Structures are given as C-alpha cells and as structure tokens.
Amino acid sequence: MASTTPTPRKNRPDALTLEVVELIGEVVARFHADYEEAAAEHTLTGAQARLLSLLCLEPLPMRRLAQRLKCEPSNVTGIVDRLEARGLVERRPDPADRRVKVAAATEEGRRVARSLRESLRFAGEPLAGLSETERVALRDALRGMLG
C-alpha cells in the first residue's frame, strides 16, 4: 500500500528566494498592465502589440509567430489580418521558400511599435528611480537568471 504522507521537497527555497519570486511576479503583473494600457492607447490589443513588436525584430512565418506567442496559428492569422487592414503589417513571400508567407512590420507598424514602447510608464517611472549603477546591476542579474 502506498504511503499517504507527503514527501518533503528537497532544496526548498529560502525566505529571501521566495520574496524575490513574489517581487518578480509583481513586476511582471505591473508590466503587463502597463503594456495592455499602452497598447489600448494605440488602439491595439495586447496580443496585437506583442505580435507587432516581434515583427519589428524580423519578418516571421505564421507558425513561428504562433510558437512565440504560445497560441494557435489560426489566432495569429486573425491578428495579422487585423494589423494588415490597418497598414501595420504586410504578408510577403519568404525569401528562403516562396511557398511560405511571412508577416512583416511596415514602416507605419514600426513607428507605432516604437511609440508604444516609448509610452510605457513602467520603464519611465520605477526604473528611472534607480541609479545607472542599480539599473546595470538589475540588468546583469536578469540576464544571469535567463541564462
């Protein structure tokens, strides 16, 4: 018969680690709220803004966009359709495989994405309260966490 006593977890996080995890969660929640608000000010949904930001880095096929956004390709098609109707995104043949279409940000799409990034209060307010040395240390710690 199997034991019903829970097995203690090895390497339980210490109190400081738990506090850091909670603070990271709060930072993420505030960032998402600010991002959604900034997107709305540009008449975009959060998903549209994220997709547009990705396409400002490089043109991508729908399947890759869906993977990066962690959603179904059919959802991405609808988002791209709406952004394309606004002139922010265009579909074009993939130079590596002309049978595949990639979505790419237009010049107007890049302008809107840049404006959205610049309108994020999150970066302007809490981070502005930190010294450059503190921001560098935070950046380096985050890079270290992400590998």
Side-chain angles (χ1 to χ4, degrees), residues 44-101:
L44 296 169
T45 65
Q48 289 171 336
R50 285 188 295 280
L51 188 143
L52 186 58
S53 292
L54 283 173
L55 293 179
C56 285
L57 300 174
E58 64 179 323
L60 292 168
M62 301 295 189
R63 188 166 306 283
R64 179 106 30 87
L65 278 168
Q67 290 168 342
R68 295 229 181 131
L69 293 172
K70 296 181 180 22
C71 68
E72 294 297 317
S74 60
N75 291 348
V76 168
T77 299
I79 295 169
V80 169
D81 286 346
R82 288 185 286 286
L83 291 173
E84 189 174 36
R86 290 186 54 190
L88 303 177
V89 166
E90 64 185 5
R91 287 178 170 92
R92 51 173 94 138
D94 185 338
D97 183 349
R98 298 191 59 80
R99 296 169 297 172
V100 175
K101 293 278 188 194

Side-chain angles (χ1 to χ4, degrees), residues 6 18 35 37-38 42 54 57 62 74 77 80 88 98 112-113 119 133 135 138 144:
L18 290 174
Y35 195 85
E37 191 174 312
H42 289 80
L54 283 173
L57 300 174
M62 301 295 189
S74 60
T77 299
V80 169
L88 303 177
R98 298 191 59 80
V112 168
S119 71
T133 302
R135 289 193 311 273
L138 178 59

